[in-house]
Amino acid sequence: MNEKGGDYGQQLKRTLWALAQPRAGREGVSRIIWKDKGPPVDPDSQAENPELNVLLLGSVDGRHLLRTLARAALWPRRRFHFYVLENNLEAVARHILIFSLALEDPEKMGLQERSETFLEVWGNALLRPPVAAFVRAQAGRLAHLVPEPDRLAEQLPWLSLGALKFRERDALEAVFRFWAGGEKGPEAFPMSRLWDSRLRQYLGSRYDARHGVSDWDLHMKLHDRGARVIHTREFRRWRDTGVAFELRDSSAYHVPNRTLASGRLLSHRGERVAARGYWGDIATGPFVAFGIEADDETLLRTSNGQPVKTAGEITEHNVAELFREMAAWGHPRAAEGDPEQVQGGAEGSPEPAPVLEPFTVHFLPLDSAHTLHHKSCYKGQFQLLYVACGMVHLLSPELGACVAPRGRLIVELAQFLVDLRQEQLHAFSRRVGELAQAAGFAPQLGGKPSDTFARFYKAGDSAPGHEDQAVESGTPPPDVLAPPLEATDWPSEDRTQPLEPGTPPSEPLKLTSESQASLLEASVPPTGSQAPKSENQNVPPETKSPIPDL
């Protein structure tokens, strides 16, 4: 029996309850690697619309968008408009920080330094002092830009915050100021203590046998679900300390990663108290996002039945390639064939790099999923809709009305939720199919079946070669990477820190008993009709899993 949560059934109840909790930072798992090189939408629509509009619900931290842009040169030229909807402002801030890092001037930060900084900020609970200093500097800069639209447009032309409410912009500025070190010292966010406390809460009486539990979760669950390259040593280290990528000596990682913090309002003695803590992933890890697939098949070789490379090494390679491909976006003059940048050799003429169209990332208000269809500018606007598994309850006919004819829908499944059994994963997939059909979509056939993503097309539109079928026949998206969902447990005061005065916290939402019952029965978040309508209801978490082709 679990002293903190009862028997296994009670523990499973906590896991499913976590699917309805708003979280920031490294939440869930969404692994997406594009295997096919074709465009994300029908080729015959390229001439009709020179712009690609994509709506993403719960993508969490920008990795999907970066992968899409990195492969943009393989598709017909189009201008990209990414519309991102999250359920907390900490996730919005992480999007902005990661994009600013990806587009950093190479003369200021080289490829290797950029890749390593990304891995630590994105996947580690503890940072090296130089990386922590970079986060503070960037956060301070962004905190000054957010309240000044003119300067923001001048320095970050790819970013659009115009759709956010004024109070959301103020709260976003407060998040950046906390990251910049408004509260000095590690006690402002004691990550090591919060991580251990959360782990104790999750494991309960199994805490003393945590190494055995982590080995079981890895070998009997993640390995069986396609993540065999994750090594026992790296997975156990992450479970114990929150450090997934140890690129330097282990003693160098001791500064708390404030970008993983999130604020909530908790009930304490009948009053609502603002608190800050860590409610991100502690079960699956960030390895499945970039570390279990690769374009270079030699990285996936095995010797005597064991992988030659670890998930960490594969992740380092994939991220370095990602930032190398992204370099073209940071050098428009070189991409356009500036003679100073592309001087040919003595024997041949220069071959300028392909011209890349600009892109814009638009952030939408946190609670706007149910109201987008009321605005004519969004109705039938998006060629692609991506929904993370923690946001599936927002999939509704109203949201489907925002997808253009012949548009596509990609839904992340719960493949890497280690606390869900196979029958629960199948129940989740069936529920996704029901919600997609109710929203006006039909399963897309063709390609290799995927347990990670379900793909659909707008029903009623011409889709040659596609017929209605089971969700399992869906094809995984192209080249984008994301990691698996974690299992969270009940919020606890020993995992939180009081917020500084005047900081707008993320609003916690409570799940009704009826919704908890439906989660236990179907192993899925609430349906569209049960979607949260007030601050006393729940919003499912974001996920990190492999990246689909957008």
PDB file of all heavy atoms in Angstrom, residues 61-67 69 82 84 93-104 118 138 156 158-159 323 326 329 359-361 363:
ATOM      1  N   ASP A  61       6.938  24.118 -25.900  1.00  0.00           N
ATOM      2  CA  ASP A  61       8.219  24.827 -25.844  1.00  0.00           C
ATOM      3  C   ASP A  61       8.889  25.112 -27.180  1.00  0.00           C
ATOM      4  O   ASP A  61      10.078  25.370 -27.218  1.00  0.00           O
ATOM      5  CB  ASP A  61       9.200  24.059 -24.958  1.00  0.00           C
ATOM      6  CG  ASP A  61       9.330  22.605 -25.386  1.00  0.00           C
ATOM      7  OD1 ASP A  61       9.026  22.312 -26.552  1.00  0.00           O
ATOM      8  OD2 ASP A  61       9.731  21.772 -24.562  1.00  0.00           O
ATOM      9  N   GLY A  62       8.198  25.062 -28.276  1.00  0.00           N
ATOM     10  CA  GLY A  62       8.769  25.525 -29.527  1.00  0.00           C
ATOM     11  C   GLY A  62       9.523  24.516 -30.356  1.00  0.00           C
ATOM     12  O   GLY A  62       9.924  24.820 -31.481  1.00  0.00           O
ATOM     13  N   ARG A  63       9.752  23.306 -29.845  1.00  0.00           N
ATOM     14  CA  ARG A  63      10.560  22.359 -30.613  1.00  0.00           C
ATOM     15  C   ARG A  63       9.867  21.945 -31.915  1.00  0.00           C
ATOM     16  O   ARG A  63      10.533  21.690 -32.920  1.00  0.00           O
ATOM     17  CB  ARG A  63      10.875  21.123 -29.763  1.00  0.00           C
ATOM     18  CG  ARG A  63       9.648  20.352 -29.329  1.00  0.00           C
ATOM     19  CD  ARG A  63       9.977  19.321 -28.252  1.00  0.00           C
ATOM     20  NE  ARG A  63       8.784  18.612 -27.839  1.00  0.00           N
ATOM     21  CZ  ARG A  63       7.901  19.080 -26.975  1.00  0.00           C
ATOM     22  NH1 ARG A  63       8.102  20.262 -26.436  1.00  0.00           N
ATOM     23  NH2 ARG A  63       6.848  18.383 -26.641  1.00  0.00           N
ATOM     24  N   HIS A  64       8.535  21.866 -31.902  1.00  0.00           N
ATOM     25  CA  HIS A  64       7.800  21.517 -33.117  1.00  0.00           C
ATOM     26  C   HIS A  64       8.020  22.579 -34.199  1.00  0.00           C
ATOM     27  O   HIS A  64       8.235  22.265 -35.370  1.00  0.00           O
ATOM     28  CB  HIS A  64       6.304  21.409 -32.822  1.00  0.00           C
ATOM     29  CG  HIS A  64       5.947  20.484 -31.713  1.00  0.00           C
ATOM     30  ND1 HIS A  64       6.186  20.780 -30.394  1.00  0.00           N
ATOM     31  CD2 HIS A  64       5.368  19.262 -31.725  1.00  0.00           C
ATOM     32  CE1 HIS A  64       5.764  19.780 -29.647  1.00  0.00           C
ATOM     33  NE2 HIS A  64       5.264  18.841 -30.427  1.00  0.00           N
ATOM     34  N   LEU A  65       7.953  23.836 -33.788  1.00  0.00           N
ATOM     35  CA  LEU A  65       8.098  24.920 -34.751  1.00  0.00           C
ATOM     36  C   LEU A  65       9.515  24.975 -35.305  1.00  0.00           C
ATOM     37  O   LEU A  65       9.719  25.213 -36.501  1.00  0.00           O
ATOM     38  CB  LEU A  65       7.743  26.254 -34.084  1.00  0.00           C
ATOM     39  CG  LEU A  65       6.426  26.300 -33.299  1.00  0.00           C
ATOM     40  CD1 LEU A  65       6.144  27.716 -32.827  1.00  0.00           C
ATOM     41  CD2 LEU A  65       5.284  25.779 -34.128  1.00  0.00           C
ATOM     42  N   LEU A  66      10.503  24.772 -34.445  1.00  0.00           N
ATOM     43  CA  LEU A  66      11.897  24.809 -34.896  1.00  0.00           C
ATOM     44  C   LEU A  66      12.151  23.716 -35.926  1.00  0.00           C
ATOM     45  O   LEU A  66      12.827  23.942 -36.937  1.00  0.00           O
ATOM     46  CB  LEU A  66      12.839  24.651 -33.707  1.00  0.00           C
ATOM     47  CG  LEU A  66      12.877  25.812 -32.709  1.00  0.00           C
ATOM     48  CD1 LEU A  66      13.795  25.487 -31.543  1.00  0.00           C
ATOM     49  CD2 LEU A  66      13.347  27.091 -33.395  1.00  0.00           C
ATOM     50  N   ARG A  67      11.630  22.525 -35.668  1.00  0.00           N
ATOM     51  CA  ARG A  67      11.849  21.421 -36.609  1.00  0.00           C
ATOM     52  C   ARG A  67      11.164  21.709 -37.942  1.00  0.00           C
ATOM     53  O   ARG A  67      11.692  21.389 -39.013  1.00  0.00           O
ATOM     54  CB  ARG A  67      11.309  20.127 -35.996  1.00  0.00           C
ATOM     55  CG  ARG A  67      11.572  18.885 -36.815  1.00  0.00           C
ATOM     56  CD  ARG A  67      13.052  18.570 -36.879  1.00  0.00           C
ATOM     57  NE  ARG A  67      13.281  17.272 -37.491  1.00  0.00           N
ATOM     58  CZ  ARG A  67      14.482  16.775 -37.731  1.00  0.00           C
ATOM     59  NH1 ARG A  67      15.554  17.475 -37.422  1.00  0.00           N
ATOM     60  NH2 ARG A  67      14.626  15.587 -38.275  1.00  0.00           N
ATOM     61  N   LEU A  69      10.578  24.676 -39.281  1.00  0.00           N
ATOM     62  CA  LEU A  69      11.359  25.686 -39.998  1.00  0.00           C
ATOM     63  C   LEU A  69      12.669  25.120 -40.516  1.00  0.00           C
ATOM     64  O   LEU A  69      13.139  25.498 -41.600  1.00  0.00           O
ATOM     65  CB  LEU A  69      11.632  26.872 -39.064  1.00  0.00           C
ATOM     66  CG  LEU A  69      10.404  27.698 -38.649  1.00  0.00           C
ATOM     67  CD1 LEU A  69      10.786  28.728 -37.604  1.00  0.00           C
ATOM     68  CD2 LEU A  69       9.777  28.375 -39.856  1.00  0.00           C
ATOM     69  N   PHE A  82       2.531  30.630 -37.353  1.00  0.00           N
ATOM     70  CA  PHE A  82       2.250  29.671 -36.296  1.00  0.00           C
ATOM     71  C   PHE A  82       1.408  30.363 -35.218  1.00  0.00           C
ATOM     72  O   PHE A  82       1.826  31.386 -34.666  1.00  0.00           O
ATOM     73  CB  PHE A  82       3.543  29.157 -35.668  1.00  0.00           C
ATOM     74  CG  PHE A  82       4.444  28.438 -36.633  1.00  0.00           C
ATOM     75  CD1 PHE A  82       5.627  29.021 -37.069  1.00  0.00           C
ATOM     76  CD2 PHE A  82       4.113  27.173 -37.105  1.00  0.00           C
ATOM     77  CE1 PHE A  82       6.462  28.357 -37.944  1.00  0.00           C
ATOM     78  CE2 PHE A  82       4.942  26.511 -37.989  1.00  0.00           C
ATOM     79  CZ  PHE A  82       6.115  27.105 -38.412  1.00  0.00           C
ATOM     80  N   VAL A  84      -0.046  29.793 -31.574  1.00  0.00           N
ATOM     81  CA  VAL A  84       0.226  28.912 -30.435  1.00  0.00           C
ATOM     82  C   VAL A  84      -0.728  29.230 -29.296  1.00  0.00           C
ATOM     83  O   VAL A  84      -0.859  30.392 -28.888  1.00  0.00           O
ATOM     84  CB  VAL A  84       1.693  29.064 -29.959  1.00  0.00           C
ATOM     85  CG1 VAL A  84       1.978  28.138 -28.796  1.00  0.00           C
ATOM     86  CG2 VAL A  84       2.649  28.785 -31.120  1.00  0.00           C
ATOM     87  N   ALA A  93       6.434  31.755 -22.265  1.00  0.00           N
ATOM     88  CA  ALA A  93       7.765  32.323 -22.036  1.00  0.00           C
ATOM     89  C   ALA A  93       8.860  31.376 -22.515  1.00  0.00           C
ATOM     90  O   ALA A  93       9.875  31.812 -23.074  1.00  0.00           O
ATOM     91  CB  ALA A  93       7.938  32.634 -20.551  1.00  0.00           C
ATOM     92  N   ARG A  94       8.675  30.072 -22.318  1.00  0.00           N
ATOM     93  CA  ARG A  94       9.680  29.107 -22.783  1.00  0.00           C
ATOM     94  C   ARG A  94       9.753  29.100 -24.311  1.00  0.00           C
ATOM     95  O   ARG A  94      10.839  28.973 -24.890  1.00  0.00           O
ATOM     96  CB  ARG A  94       9.363  27.720 -22.244  1.00  0.00           C
ATOM     97  CG  ARG A  94       9.806  27.517 -20.802  1.00  0.00           C
ATOM     98  CD  ARG A  94       9.383  26.180 -20.262  1.00  0.00           C
ATOM     99  NE  ARG A  94       9.999  25.055 -20.942  1.00  0.00           N
ATOM    100  CZ  ARG A  94      11.229  24.592 -20.693  1.00  0.00           C
ATOM    101  NH1 ARG A  94      11.981  25.193 -19.775  1.00  0.00           N
ATOM    102  NH2 ARG A  94      11.701  23.553 -21.327  1.00  0.00           N
ATOM    103  N   HIS A  95       8.612  29.198 -24.979  1.00  0.00           N
ATOM    104  CA  HIS A  95       8.614  29.316 -26.443  1.00  0.00           C
ATOM    105  C   HIS A  95       9.516  30.474 -26.875  1.00  0.00           C
ATOM    106  O   HIS A  95      10.375  30.327 -27.746  1.00  0.00           O
ATOM    107  CB  HIS A  95       7.198  29.585 -26.946  1.00  0.00           C
ATOM    108  CG  HIS A  95       6.381  28.363 -27.208  1.00  0.00           C
ATOM    109  ND1 HIS A  95       6.547  27.583 -28.328  1.00  0.00           N
ATOM    110  CD2 HIS A  95       5.375  27.808 -26.506  1.00  0.00           C
ATOM    111  CE1 HIS A  95       5.683  26.583 -28.310  1.00  0.00           C
ATOM    112  NE2 HIS A  95       4.950  26.695 -27.215  1.00  0.00           N
ATOM    113  N   ILE A  96       9.288  31.623 -26.268  1.00  0.00           N
ATOM    114  CA  ILE A  96      10.013  32.833 -26.678  1.00  0.00           C
ATOM    115  C   ILE A  96      11.495  32.698 -26.380  1.00  0.00           C
ATOM    116  O   ILE A  96      12.349  33.053 -27.209  1.00  0.00           O
ATOM    117  CB  ILE A  96       9.417  34.067 -25.970  1.00  0.00           C
ATOM    118  CG1 ILE A  96       7.941  34.239 -26.373  1.00  0.00           C
ATOM    119  CG2 ILE A  96      10.209  35.320 -26.304  1.00  0.00           C
ATOM    120  CD1 ILE A  96       7.218  35.339 -25.610  1.00  0.00           C
ATOM    121  N   LEU A  97      11.844  32.176 -25.194  1.00  0.00           N
ATOM    122  CA  LEU A  97      13.250  32.016 -24.828  1.00  0.00           C
ATOM    123  C   LEU A  97      13.962  31.062 -25.782  1.00  0.00           C
ATOM    124  O   LEU A  97      15.083  31.340 -26.246  1.00  0.00           O
ATOM    125  CB  LEU A  97      13.354  31.501 -23.391  1.00  0.00           C
ATOM    126  CG  LEU A  97      14.777  31.215 -22.888  1.00  0.00           C
ATOM    127  CD1 LEU A  97      15.575  32.512 -22.787  1.00  0.00           C
ATOM    128  CD2 LEU A  97      14.752  30.498 -21.544  1.00  0.00           C
ATOM    129  N   ILE A  98      13.329  29.950 -26.101  1.00  0.00           N
ATOM    130  CA  ILE A  98      13.964  28.950 -26.965  1.00  0.00           C
ATOM    131  C   ILE A  98      14.138  29.487 -28.385  1.00  0.00           C
ATOM    132  O   ILE A  98      15.164  29.260 -29.032  1.00  0.00           O
ATOM    133  CB  ILE A  98      13.141  27.651 -26.945  1.00  0.00           C
ATOM    134  CG1 ILE A  98      13.359  26.943 -25.603  1.00  0.00           C
ATOM    135  CG2 ILE A  98      13.513  26.742 -28.102  1.00  0.00           C
ATOM    136  CD1 ILE A  98      12.501  25.724 -25.401  1.00  0.00           C
ATOM    137  N   PHE A  99      13.155  30.234 -28.883  1.00  0.00           N
ATOM    138  CA  PHE A  99      13.295  30.814 -30.225  1.00  0.00           C
ATOM    139  C   PHE A  99      14.396  31.873 -30.249  1.00  0.00           C
ATOM    140  O   PHE A  99      15.154  31.968 -31.217  1.00  0.00           O
ATOM    141  CB  PHE A  99      11.967  31.411 -30.683  1.00  0.00           C
ATOM    142  CG  PHE A  99      11.259  30.562 -31.689  1.00  0.00           C
ATOM    143  CD1 PHE A  99      10.333  29.620 -31.292  1.00  0.00           C
ATOM    144  CD2 PHE A  99      11.540  30.691 -33.038  1.00  0.00           C
ATOM    145  CE1 PHE A  99       9.679  28.817 -32.214  1.00  0.00           C
ATOM    146  CE2 PHE A  99      10.891  29.898 -33.980  1.00  0.00           C
ATOM    147  CZ  PHE A  99       9.960  28.961 -33.571  1.00  0.00           C
ATOM    148  N   SER A 100      14.467  32.684 -29.208  1.00  0.00           N
ATOM    149  CA  SER A 100      15.529  33.694 -29.173  1.00  0.00           C
ATOM    150  C   SER A 100      16.899  33.032 -29.126  1.00  0.00           C
ATOM    151  O   SER A 100      17.868  33.548 -29.694  1.00  0.00           O
ATOM    152  CB  SER A 100      15.335  34.625 -27.975  1.00  0.00           C
ATOM    153  OG  SER A 100      15.455  33.918 -26.756  1.00  0.00           O
ATOM    154  N   LEU A 101      17.004  31.869 -28.470  1.00  0.00           N
ATOM    155  CA  LEU A 101      18.261  31.124 -28.448  1.00  0.00           C
ATOM    156  C   LEU A 101      18.562  30.543 -29.826  1.00  0.00           C
ATOM    157  O   LEU A 101      19.699  30.626 -30.313  1.00  0.00           O
ATOM    158  CB  LEU A 101      18.173  30.000 -27.412  1.00  0.00           C
ATOM    159  CG  LEU A 101      19.312  28.975 -27.408  1.00  0.00           C
ATOM    160  CD1 LEU A 101      20.642  29.656 -27.095  1.00  0.00           C
ATOM    161  CD2 LEU A 101      19.023  27.867 -26.398  1.00  0.00           C
ATOM    162  N   ALA A 102      17.561  29.969 -30.480  1.00  0.00           N
ATOM    163  CA  ALA A 102      17.772  29.352 -31.793  1.00  0.00           C
ATOM    164  C   ALA A 102      18.198  30.368 -32.838  1.00  0.00           C
ATOM    165  O   ALA A 102      18.952  30.037 -33.763  1.00  0.00           O
ATOM    166  CB  ALA A 102      16.493  28.647 -32.245  1.00  0.00           C
ATOM    167  N   LEU A 103      17.724  31.609 -32.698  1.00  0.00           N
ATOM    168  CA  LEU A 103      18.038  32.658 -33.682  1.00  0.00           C
ATOM    169  C   LEU A 103      19.154  33.580 -33.213  1.00  0.00           C
ATOM    170  O   LEU A 103      19.345  34.655 -33.771  1.00  0.00           O
ATOM    171  CB  LEU A 103      16.775  33.467 -33.981  1.00  0.00           C
ATOM    172  CG  LEU A 103      15.597  32.666 -34.544  1.00  0.00           C
ATOM    173  CD1 LEU A 103      14.376  33.552 -34.701  1.00  0.00           C
ATOM    174  CD2 LEU A 103      15.960  32.021 -35.870  1.00  0.00           C
ATOM    175  N   GLU A 104      19.900  33.164 -32.201  1.00  0.00           N
ATOM    176  CA  GLU A 104      21.013  33.974 -31.686  1.00  0.00           C
ATOM    177  C   GLU A 104      22.074  34.142 -32.772  1.00  0.00           C
ATOM    178  O   GLU A 104      22.313  33.245 -33.595  1.00  0.00           O
ATOM    179  CB  GLU A 104      21.625  33.275 -30.470  1.00  0.00           C
ATOM    180  CG  GLU A 104      22.707  34.073 -29.758  1.00  0.00           C
ATOM    181  CD  GLU A 104      22.157  35.305 -29.081  1.00  0.00           C
ATOM    182  OE1 GLU A 104      21.503  35.191 -28.038  1.00  0.00           O
ATOM    183  OE2 GLU A 104      22.402  36.408 -29.636  1.00  0.00           O
ATOM    184  N   PHE A 118      20.726  24.926 -25.247  1.00  0.00           N
ATOM    185  CA  PHE A 118      19.343  24.489 -25.457  1.00  0.00           C
ATOM    186  C   PHE A 118      19.041  23.222 -24.669  1.00  0.00           C
ATOM    187  O   PHE A 118      18.014  23.120 -23.981  1.00  0.00           O
ATOM    188  CB  PHE A 118      19.090  24.259 -26.943  1.00  0.00           C
ATOM    189  CG  PHE A 118      17.789  23.557 -27.230  1.00  0.00           C
ATOM    190  CD1 PHE A 118      16.604  24.267 -27.276  1.00  0.00           C
ATOM    191  CD2 PHE A 118      17.759  22.179 -27.429  1.00  0.00           C
ATOM    192  CE1 PHE A 118      15.393  23.618 -27.527  1.00  0.00           C
ATOM    193  CE2 PHE A 118      16.565  21.526 -27.685  1.00  0.00           C
ATOM    194  CZ  PHE A 118      15.380  22.248 -27.729  1.00  0.00           C
ATOM    195  N   GLN A 138      19.027  36.843 -21.079  1.00  0.00           N
ATOM    196  CA  GLN A 138      17.959  36.827 -22.069  1.00  0.00           C
ATOM    197  C   GLN A 138      16.617  37.177 -21.447  1.00  0.00           C
ATOM    198  O   GLN A 138      15.815  37.907 -22.042  1.00  0.00           O
ATOM    199  CB  GLN A 138      17.875  35.442 -22.723  1.00  0.00           C
ATOM    200  CG  GLN A 138      18.972  35.144 -23.722  1.00  0.00           C
ATOM    201  CD  GLN A 138      18.850  36.012 -24.967  1.00  0.00           C
ATOM    202  OE1 GLN A 138      19.384  37.123 -25.019  1.00  0.00           O
ATOM    203  NE2 GLN A 138      18.156  35.526 -25.969  1.00  0.00           N
ATOM    204  N   LEU A 156      12.556  41.623 -32.364  1.00  0.00           N
ATOM    205  CA  LEU A 156      12.075  40.249 -32.548  1.00  0.00           C
ATOM    206  C   LEU A 156      10.916  40.267 -33.560  1.00  0.00           C
ATOM    207  O   LEU A 156       9.754  40.088 -33.186  1.00  0.00           O
ATOM    208  CB  LEU A 156      11.620  39.646 -31.220  1.00  0.00           C
ATOM    209  CG  LEU A 156      12.648  39.614 -30.091  1.00  0.00           C
ATOM    210  CD1 LEU A 156      12.028  39.051 -28.825  1.00  0.00           C
ATOM    211  CD2 LEU A 156      13.884  38.806 -30.487  1.00  0.00           C
ATOM    212  N   TRP A 158       9.798  38.229 -35.591  1.00  0.00           N
ATOM    213  CA  TRP A 158       9.070  36.974 -35.760  1.00  0.00           C
ATOM    214  C   TRP A 158       8.021  36.763 -34.667  1.00  0.00           C
ATOM    215  O   TRP A 158       7.203  35.829 -34.756  1.00  0.00           O
ATOM    216  CB  TRP A 158      10.052  35.803 -35.727  1.00  0.00           C
ATOM    217  CG  TRP A 158      10.982  35.832 -34.538  1.00  0.00           C
ATOM    218  CD1 TRP A 158      12.229  36.385 -34.489  1.00  0.00           C
ATOM    219  CD2 TRP A 158      10.720  35.312 -33.230  1.00  0.00           C
ATOM    220  NE1 TRP A 158      12.771  36.236 -33.239  1.00  0.00           N
ATOM    221  CE2 TRP A 158      11.863  35.580 -32.437  1.00  0.00           C
ATOM    222  CE3 TRP A 158       9.650  34.639 -32.643  1.00  0.00           C
ATOM    223  CZ2 TRP A 158      11.968  35.201 -31.108  1.00  0.00           C
ATOM    224  CZ3 TRP A 158       9.742  34.272 -31.308  1.00  0.00           C
ATOM    225  CH2 TRP A 158      10.883  34.539 -30.557  1.00  0.00           C
ATOM    226  N   LEU A 159       8.013  37.595 -33.643  1.00  0.00           N
ATOM    227  CA  LEU A 159       7.143  37.392 -32.481  1.00  0.00           C
ATOM    228  C   LEU A 159       5.963  38.351 -32.505  1.00  0.00           C
ATOM    229  O   LEU A 159       6.122  39.553 -32.729  1.00  0.00           O
ATOM    230  CB  LEU A 159       7.949  37.593 -31.197  1.00  0.00           C
ATOM    231  CG  LEU A 159       7.185  37.514 -29.868  1.00  0.00           C
ATOM    232  CD1 LEU A 159       6.556  36.148 -29.690  1.00  0.00           C
ATOM    233  CD2 LEU A 159       8.107  37.845 -28.701  1.00  0.00           C
ATOM    234  N   PHE A 323      19.897  23.021 -35.154  1.00  0.00           N
ATOM    235  CA  PHE A 323      20.383  24.402 -35.097  1.00  0.00           C
ATOM    236  C   PHE A 323      21.236  24.742 -36.317  1.00  0.00           C
ATOM    237  O   PHE A 323      21.283  25.905 -36.733  1.00  0.00           O
ATOM    238  CB  PHE A 323      21.162  24.624 -33.807  1.00  0.00           C
ATOM    239  CG  PHE A 323      20.295  24.857 -32.608  1.00  0.00           C
ATOM    240  CD1 PHE A 323      20.044  23.845 -31.704  1.00  0.00           C
ATOM    241  CD2 PHE A 323      19.694  26.087 -32.392  1.00  0.00           C
ATOM    242  CE1 PHE A 323      19.224  24.056 -30.612  1.00  0.00           C
ATOM    243  CE2 PHE A 323      18.875  26.303 -31.310  1.00  0.00           C
ATOM    244  CZ  PHE A 323      18.637  25.283 -30.408  1.00  0.00           C
ATOM    245  N   MET A 326      18.709  25.628 -38.831  1.00  0.00           N
ATOM    246  CA  MET A 326      18.045  26.879 -38.460  1.00  0.00           C
ATOM    247  C   MET A 326      18.908  28.100 -38.725  1.00  0.00           C
ATOM    248  O   MET A 326      18.423  29.222 -38.735  1.00  0.00           O
ATOM    249  CB  MET A 326      17.667  26.853 -36.980  1.00  0.00           C
ATOM    250  CG  MET A 326      16.387  26.108 -36.657  1.00  0.00           C
ATOM    251  SD  MET A 326      14.931  26.900 -37.365  1.00  0.00           S
ATOM    252  CE  MET A 326      14.963  28.487 -36.525  1.00  0.00           C
ATOM    253  N   TRP A 329      17.807  30.856 -41.127  1.00  0.00           N
ATOM    254  CA  TRP A 329      16.825  31.857 -40.735  1.00  0.00           C
ATOM    255  C   TRP A 329      17.500  33.054 -40.064  1.00  0.00           C
ATOM    256  O   TRP A 329      17.007  34.168 -40.133  1.00  0.00           O
ATOM    257  CB  TRP A 329      15.807  31.252 -39.781  1.00  0.00           C
ATOM    258  CG  TRP A 329      14.930  30.234 -40.421  1.00  0.00           C
ATOM    259  CD1 TRP A 329      15.058  28.884 -40.350  1.00  0.00           C
ATOM    260  CD2 TRP A 329      13.794  30.491 -41.255  1.00  0.00           C
ATOM    261  NE1 TRP A 329      14.074  28.271 -41.086  1.00  0.00           N
ATOM    262  CE2 TRP A 329      13.278  29.240 -41.651  1.00  0.00           C
ATOM    263  CE3 TRP A 329      13.164  31.642 -41.703  1.00  0.00           C
ATOM    264  CZ2 TRP A 329      12.165  29.105 -42.464  1.00  0.00           C
ATOM    265  CZ3 TRP A 329      12.054  31.509 -42.504  1.00  0.00           C
ATOM    266  CH2 TRP A 329      11.564  30.272 -42.887  1.00  0.00           C
ATOM    267  N   PHE A 359       8.724  34.081 -41.159  1.00  0.00           N
ATOM    268  CA  PHE A 359       7.718  33.399 -40.376  1.00  0.00           C
ATOM    269  C   PHE A 359       7.333  34.275 -39.190  1.00  0.00           C
ATOM    270  O   PHE A 359       8.068  35.175 -38.792  1.00  0.00           O
ATOM    271  CB  PHE A 359       8.240  32.047 -39.863  1.00  0.00           C
ATOM    272  CG  PHE A 359       9.315  32.164 -38.817  1.00  0.00           C
ATOM    273  CD1 PHE A 359       9.000  32.157 -37.467  1.00  0.00           C
ATOM    274  CD2 PHE A 359      10.649  32.297 -39.185  1.00  0.00           C
ATOM    275  CE1 PHE A 359       9.981  32.280 -36.507  1.00  0.00           C
ATOM    276  CE2 PHE A 359      11.641  32.420 -38.229  1.00  0.00           C
ATOM    277  CZ  PHE A 359      11.310  32.404 -36.883  1.00  0.00           C
ATOM    278  N   THR A 360       6.160  33.999 -38.620  1.00  0.00           N
ATOM    279  CA  THR A 360       5.679  34.735 -37.459  1.00  0.00           C
ATOM    280  C   THR A 360       5.052  33.745 -36.486  1.00  0.00           C
ATOM    281  O   THR A 360       4.327  32.836 -36.898  1.00  0.00           O
ATOM    282  CB  THR A 360       4.630  35.790 -37.850  1.00  0.00           C
ATOM    283  OG1 THR A 360       5.152  36.629 -38.882  1.00  0.00           O
ATOM    284  CG2 THR A 360       4.254  36.636 -36.640  1.00  0.00           C
ATOM    285  N   VAL A 361       5.346  33.930 -35.208  1.00  0.00           N
ATOM    286  CA  VAL A 361       4.753  33.113 -34.148  1.00  0.00           C
ATOM    287  C   VAL A 361       3.768  33.993 -33.387  1.00  0.00           C
ATOM    288  O   VAL A 361       4.169  34.961 -32.743  1.00  0.00           O
ATOM    289  CB  VAL A 361       5.823  32.555 -33.198  1.00  0.00           C
ATOM    290  CG1 VAL A 361       5.180  31.675 -32.128  1.00  0.00           C
ATOM    291  CG2 VAL A 361       6.867  31.761 -33.973  1.00  0.00           C
ATOM    292  N   PHE A 363       0.963  34.317 -30.437  1.00  0.00           N
ATOM    293  CA  PHE A 363       0.479  33.678 -29.216  1.00  0.00           C
ATOM    294  C   PHE A 363      -0.946  34.144 -28.937  1.00  0.00           C
ATOM    295  O   PHE A 363      -1.231  35.352 -28.921  1.00  0.00           O
ATOM    296  CB  PHE A 363       1.393  33.999 -28.039  1.00  0.00           C
ATOM    297  CG  PHE A 363       2.727  33.303 -28.132  1.00  0.00           C
ATOM    298  CD1 PHE A 363       3.850  33.977 -28.590  1.00  0.00           C
ATOM    299  CD2 PHE A 363       2.846  31.969 -27.797  1.00  0.00           C
ATOM    300  CE1 PHE A 363       5.074  33.335 -28.702  1.00  0.00           C
ATOM    301  CE2 PHE A 363       4.065  31.307 -27.906  1.00  0.00           C
ATOM    302  CZ  PHE A 363       5.181  31.993 -28.352  1.00  0.00           C
TER     303      PHE A 363
END
